[in-house]
Amino acid sequence: MTIQTTTHLNFRGNARQALEFYQSVFGGHTVLNIYADFGMPAELPGADKIVFGLVAAECGFRVMGYDIPGQSGRTIAGGGSTRRENNTTITDQALFVALESDVLEELQGYWDALAVDAIIIEPLAASMWSAGFGMLTDQFGVTWSVSVTAA
């Protein structure tokens, strides 16, 4: 038996923009269903927001997202911040999305795309434990931990 896990991100009104951005970074396809698709009257506020969103790419990347009803803002639910201080990661965020590959060059392309309008916490570079490691918080408030898988 096998299972698959998929990160499910909860947004405050900008799930569509986030999922379209992630599809532009990782490729693949998106599924974007709005609340009106599932019976919410179209004239109600929020009926055009995402109730089920998915990005699935051939490289294996998958992420889901939705908009919390009645919420708006520019960050993911749970928000918070992450920073590096004295070679330690300090955060009050509930989660990071970990992105790993055996190939630094593959990660570099994803890193470069995710870094647009992002806060760089730790630049992608060789570290004591990896041929490449970096952290950033993207324009939607999602923190990514990017690393080359140890040999």
Side-chain angles (χ1 to χ4, degrees):
M1 180 175 151
T2 61
I3 64 169
Q4 176 178 338
T5 62
T6 302
T7 303
H8 189 272
L9 303 172
N10 303 316
F11 293 93
R12 294 183 174 137
N14 59 353
R16 175 182 302 278
Q17 293 87 350
L19 294 168
E20 288 173 346
F21 174 70
Y22 299 143
Q23 190 273 332
S24 76
V25 171
F26 296 99
H29 70 278
T30 57
V31 176
L32 300 171
N33 296 114
I34 60 173
Y35 283 93
D37 293 338
F38 291 96
M40 179 185 259
E43 66 276 2
L44 288 179
D48 62 338
K49 298 299 180 186
I50 301 298
V51 67
F52 176 86
L54 169 72
V55 176
E58 293 77 21
C59 65
F61 176 81
R62 291 177 59 91
V63 69
M64 296 175 67
Y66 99 118
D67 287 312
I68 302 168
Q71 296 221 355
S72 63
R74 294 240 345 118
T75 63
I76 188 170
S81 65
T82 301
R83 68 184 188 284
R84 294 285 290 172
E85 188 175 293
N86 299 320
N87 294 319
T88 303
T89 301
I90 309 294
T91 188
D92 61 354
Q93 291 183 300
L95 64 93
F96 298 153
V97 177
L99 183 62
E100 297 179 329
S101 174
D102 295 336
V103 182
L104 177 61
E105 292 76 19
E106 179 181 26
L107 286 175
Q108 187 69 58
Y110 297 136
W111 174 271
D112 292 344
L114 288 169
V116 173
D117 296 326
I119 296 168
I120 306 301
I121 299 162
E122 181 85 13
L124 181 60
S127 69
M128 291 174 38
W129 62 90
S130 174
F133 171 79
M135 288 183 81
L136 61 80
T137 300
D138 73 20
Q139 61 188 291
F140 300 100
V142 177
T143 296
W144 296 78
S145 171
V146 178
S147 59
V148 174
T149 309

